Amino acid sequence: DVERSRGLGDVYKRQPLDPTKVRQNDIVVVTLKGQMIAKGRARALAVDYLPAGLELENAKLGGDDLGAYGWLGAVTTPEHVELRDDRYIAQVNLSQKGEFRVAYIARAVTPGRFAHGGVHIEDMYQPEQFGRGAATSIVIRKH
């Protein structure tokens, strides 16, 4: 089970994101939340493909050291994180009925209407155990 939520964020607060009213240069804070349904342990890989108008800013959010983004609350520290041009990747270790919540920051850079594919999570060693989130869209307007 996996879901994604997005909000406009700055170092002081988080505002709900209206995906049709994002402005160029806005900071978008994305959280991915998932839960293992199968029994046992898992080394889960969460992959969130970015819409074309966003660029990753920072993926080092997790654990107790959230810095100015402390308003995020409890966030899992991933074992490994990759920032790529088109996606955010986080690897987390889960135990039975384990839950995780990871976050990353992106910036709206290119105006337009863009598809945002669903987040995907799978067990790295048992890929038949996987989950997908819903696809959405985002509209970025000129600043």
Side-chain angles (χ1 to χ4, degrees):
D1 186 23
V2 63
E3 66 183 58
R4 171 180 55 219
S5 64
R6 298 177 292 199
L8 293 176
D10 61 25
V11 295
Y12 303 109
K13 61 185 175 191
R14 178 180 181 192
Q15 304 168 1
L17 177 77
D18 180 343
T20 64
K21 296 182 179 174
V22 178
R23 294 179 323 190
Q24 195 173 14
N25 293 322
D26 278 349
I27 296 293
V28 178
V29 178
V30 181
T31 56
L32 307 176
K33 185 170 86 171
Q35 178 181 9
M36 186 169 143
I37 296 173
K39 292 183 179 182
R41 299 179 57 82
R43 292 182 59 131
L45 196 63
V47 180
D48 193 17
Y49 290 91
L50 296 173
L54 293 182
E55 286 186 3
L56 288 168
E57 285 279 314
N58 183 358
K60 298 191 185 296
L61 296 176
D64 297 328
D65 185 21
L66 294 175
Y69 292 93
W71 48 263
L72 274 169
V75 178
T76 307
T77 302
E79 295 293 318
H80 179 75
V81 172
E82 288 185 31
L83 299 176
R84 297 193 180 171
D85 289 341
D86 64 342
R87 71 193 87 170
Y88 167 83
I89 303 169
Q91 188 264 310
V92 293
N93 291 330
L94 300 174
S95 59
Q96 186 172 355
K97 299 293 182 186
E99 294 182 354
F100 74 91
R101 185 170 175 262
V102 293
Y104 66 88
I105 299 170
R107 181 178 300 276
V109 294
T110 307
R113 178 181 300 271
F114 305 101
H116 195 173
V119 62
H120 178 85
I121 185 169
E122 71 179 42
D123 185 317
M124 292 171 48
Y125 299 106
Q126 298 176 32
E128 66 278 5
Q129 293 183 17
F130 68 93
R132 284 186 223 131
T136 59
S137 64
I138 188 169
V139 177
I140 300 172
R141 302 185 189 284
K142 286 190 177 185
H143 185 60

